[in-house]
Amino acid sequence: MTFAYDDITDSILLFNRKESDKMKGSAKVNNLIIDFTDKGKVVGLEIQEATQFFKDMHLDGLPEKMKSAALSVKQAHGVIILFVSFRFEDRNEERAIYVSSQSPTYAEASC
C-alpha cells in the first residue's frame, strides 16, 4: 500500500496497484477519485479536499498529522465499499465509504 498526503493540494493518495495490474481509468465521485483496472478492480483512491473530508467524516485530527493510511475494498452487486484506515500517533480511525454504481462514470457516494 502506497500512502501520501500532499499539503499543497490537500489530497490523500492511497494506491494498492500491482505491477501486473493494467489501468483502465478513474471515476470522480464528489471529492474522491477512484482508480480501476481493466478487470474493474479498485486499486487507488485520491481524497481531494482532505481537511474538509476529515470534518465531514467526524475524524478527530488533521490529514497532515497522519502517520499512515490503508485502503481495502469490497465490491459486489454494483456497490463498492471503500474501507479506509487512518493511523495517527495515538490511535487508528476507520471509515467506510459506500459508492453505488452501475457504471463508475455515474457513481454516487455516501459517507
Side-chain angles (χ1 to χ4, degrees), residues 57-71:
M57 297 296 283
H58 306 286
L59 287 161
D60 184 28
L62 296 171
E64 61 267 18
K65 301 290 184 183
M66 287 186 305
K67 299 295 181 189
S68 66
L71 171 68

Side-chain angles (χ1 to χ4, degrees), residues 34-100:
I34 304 166
D35 297 325
F36 297 89
T37 68
D38 60 343
K39 295 184 171 141
K41 177 181 166 190
V42 174
V43 292
L45 174 66
E46 178 179 345
I47 302 171
Q48 299 176 329
E49 300 175 27
T51 302
Q52 185 61 49
F53 175 84
F54 270 40
K55 290 177 187 175
D56 293 345
M57 297 296 283
H58 306 286
L59 287 161
D60 184 28
L62 296 171
E64 61 267 18
K65 301 290 184 183
M66 287 186 305
K67 299 295 181 189
S68 66
L71 171 68
S72 62
V73 179
K74 299 282 185 190
Q75 294 176 252
H77 310 292
V79 176
I80 300 169
I81 306 172
L82 306 167
F83 296 97
V84 186
S85 177
F86 303 100
R87 190 174 140 262
F88 295 91
E89 181 98 13
D90 58 345
R91 72 192 182 291
N92 290 334
E93 298 266 359
E94 295 181 355
R95 296 295 184 272
I97 304 166
Y98 297 84
V99 180
S100 62

